[in-house]
Amino acid sequence: MKITKAKEPQRYEIERSPLYKLSSKRKLSELLEVELTTLSSLEKSGLTSQYRIFKDRKTRRVITEPIEQLAVIHKQLLKLFSRIAPPSYVHSAIKKRSYKTNAEQHKDPANVLKIDVKKFFPSIKFSHIHDFFLNGLCCSKDIAVILSKLCTVQTVKHGVHLPTGSCISPILSFLANRRMFDAVKKICDREGCVFTVYVDDITVSGVNATRALLSEITTVIHKHGYQYHKIKTYHGQPALVTGLVVADGRLRLPHERAKKIRELSKALKALRASKSTPLRSKMLASLVGRLSEAEHINKAYKPLRQKILSSYSAEWSGVIAYRLRKSRTKRLMRNCVITAS
């Protein structure tokens, strides 16, 4: 039987979005696939009750993750946002674009400038989101307020802002700040430089990617109410762009990532004589994941990944089975939430 691949959703200009010039609450509830009463209830429930707020164990960052019905709504909004055609310079939250395609744009640089917008998601306030719905999508005032409430969270430290743990945040962070990024793009085009954006990571390359150009870019960032940090400049030398080393017209894994793969391989081999344990399964999953990612950059990692999968086939089957059970449980819980609403 011939398997037909699912077609990618057609992208269109913002004026063709179903959200454009939206003024009906009933139409909004249909687009979000929720009852009108549920929509009204969520709007009135406050900006924290529908979020799970916790600290990430590794980064120690505060994560604000939508839960229950709001999580379902965010997934519907993601579908709608994803269909708005993005400019070519954006490489985050877009199918067939990634940190790798972002780095590839800067493979032959004379100079490279890098700059990050500081605390980007927490710095994107209610006003930024509201301005996008009201003036970018031209929604009616009441619809713009409702959507802004659905897309923001309130925390003690940062006030009302874009959530850090929502599926909509990477793409909405761009949509709500397109004017800022377009302004930077215009400056870079004037200087004949390549400009890309990956969430909050701005990269510029070219002969004229100088400190003077950097100063103009930071002025634009400040003008739009943001701060910046992690400034890096490279002049005729290997540059680190979105986690990859760019040098001599090609991409390489950074030394630390290659070293971590070697260390995991060695540690897993040392534990091979022992019985299967949760720790060993966790190490195996981490190693396979790192190798899968690495082979997209360097094909030499593919044989090593295949060898690992062959050597630990039984244990890898257990890892896959665990992931399927976990995914099934999440799906059942999500269906329960939808049914209950």
Side-chain angles (χ1 to χ4, degrees):
M1 184 177 70
K2 186 178 179 181
I3 299 174
T4 305
K5 287 186 178 180
K7 290 184 178 179
E8 288 187 36
Q10 184 181 5
R11 292 198 178 110
Y12 38 61
E13 294 305 310
I14 196 167
E15 293 81 6
R16 290 183 57 200
S17 169
L19 293 170
Y20 191 72
K21 290 189 175 181
L22 188 64
S23 59
S24 164
K25 289 184 182 180
R26 185 167 297 281
K27 179 63 177 176
L28 177 61
S29 71
E30 291 173 2
L31 287 172
L32 300 182
E33 297 184 3
V34 293
E35 295 294 331
L36 193 55
T37 52
T38 303
L39 196 62
S40 298
S41 176
L42 284 171
E43 182 195 356
K44 295 172 184 176
S45 65
L47 298 168
T48 57
S49 62
Q50 289 289 310
Y51 285 88
R52 183 170 75 97
I53 301 176
F54 62 97
K55 268 192 177 181
D56 183 86
R57 291 180 182 178
K58 290 183 179 179
T59 65
R60 306 307 297 166
R61 292 178 180 175
V62 175
I63 306 299
T64 46
E65 178 184 34
I67 57 174
E68 300 177 356
Q69 191 62 59
L70 186 60
V72 177
I73 287 174
H74 278 205
K75 286 183 179 179
Q76 286 301 118
L77 283 170
L78 178 61
K79 291 178 184 178
L80 295 168
F81 294 155
S82 297
R83 290 171 185 165
I84 298 172
S88 59
Y89 66 77
V90 183
H91 289 266
S92 50
I94 297 167
K95 225 169 189 179
K96 295 187 178 180
R97 300 187 201 177
S98 64
Y99 71 95
K100 181 187 175 185
T101 62
N102 183 79
E104 282 175 338
Q105 307 309 305
H106 307 280
K107 282 199 299 185
D108 298 302
N111 301 316
V112 177
L113 303 176
K114 280 179 53 187
I115 184 169
D116 282 11
V117 183
K118 192 174 183 180
K119 296 187 184 303
F120 194 33
F121 291 176
S123 297
I124 301 174
K125 304 302 183 184
F126 185 93
S127 58
H128 294 100
I129 304 300
H130 182 259
D131 181 66
F132 166 65
F133 287 120
L134 185 65
N135 299 312
L137 278 168
C138 300
C139 297
S140 63
K141 290 181 179 179
D142 58 338
I143 296 297
V145 169
I146 292 169
L147 282 167
S148 300
K149 285 183 177 180
L150 292 174
C151 293
T152 51
V153 64
Q154 185 169 15
T155 58
V156 174
K157 188 174 182 180
H158 299 290
V160 181
H161 59 87
L162 190 68
T164 55
S166 170
C167 61
I168 63 171
S169 295
I171 191 166
L172 185 52
S173 67
F174 168 73
L175 292 171
N177 289 285
R178 176 156 186 173
R179 280 182 293 183
M180 177 179 75
F181 290 121
D182 279 351
V184 176
K185 174 70 162 63
K186 188 175 181 181
I187 293 169
C188 293
D189 284 349
R190 183 198 70 203
E191 297 299 324
C193 291
V194 176
F195 163 71
T196 62
V197 171
Y198 191 83
V199 191
D200 59 348
D201 190 332
I202 293 171
T203 308
V204 181
S205 64
V207 174
N208 295 322
T210 61
R211 281 280 178 179
L213 180 60
L214 178 63
S215 180
E216 285 193 70
I217 293 170
T218 57
T219 299
V220 171
I221 292 172
H222 269 303
K223 181 182 175 182
H224 284 81
Y226 298 104
Q227 295 182 327
Y228 58 87
H229 66 157
K230 296 182 182 177
I231 292 176
K232 297 283 185 183
T233 58
Y234 303 90
H235 304 288
Q237 65 188 102
L240 187 65
V241 179
T242 46
L244 296 175
V245 176
V246 178
D248 303 320
R250 63 191 186 93
L251 303 181
R252 296 201 310 260
L253 278 186
H255 172 72
E256 285 302 314
R257 284 172 64 180
K259 181 182 176 184
K260 187 65 178 179
I261 287 173
R262 291 195 299 272
E263 288 175 346
L264 274 172
S265 298
K266 188 176 179 180
L268 194 62
K269 190 175 181 180
L271 290 173
R272 190 170 184 183
S274 64
K275 291 183 179 180
S276 179
T277 63
L279 174 61
R280 203 170 75 173
S281 295
K282 187 176 180 180
M283 287 174 62
L284 175 62
S286 177
L287 177 58
V288 172
R290 286 176 179 274
L291 285 169
S292 296
E293 192 175 27
E295 73 177 69
H296 287 294
I297 312 304
N298 185 343
K299 296 298 181 185
Y301 283 99
K302 185 176 181 179
L304 178 56
R305 180 180 63 83
Q306 291 174 330
K307 183 180 177 181
I308 292 292
L309 289 175
S310 176
S311 299
Y312 297 90
S313 58
E315 199 158 349
W316 180 246
S317 295
V319 171
I320 295 298
Y322 170 75
R323 288 177 176 176
L324 287 172
R325 287 196 303 272
K326 192 174 179 180
S327 175
R328 195 176 299 117
T329 301
K330 281 186 176 180
R331 189 164 58 250
L332 285 171
M333 289 177 68
R334 187 166 60 246
N335 290 337
C336 286
V337 169
I338 295 171
T339 304
S341 65

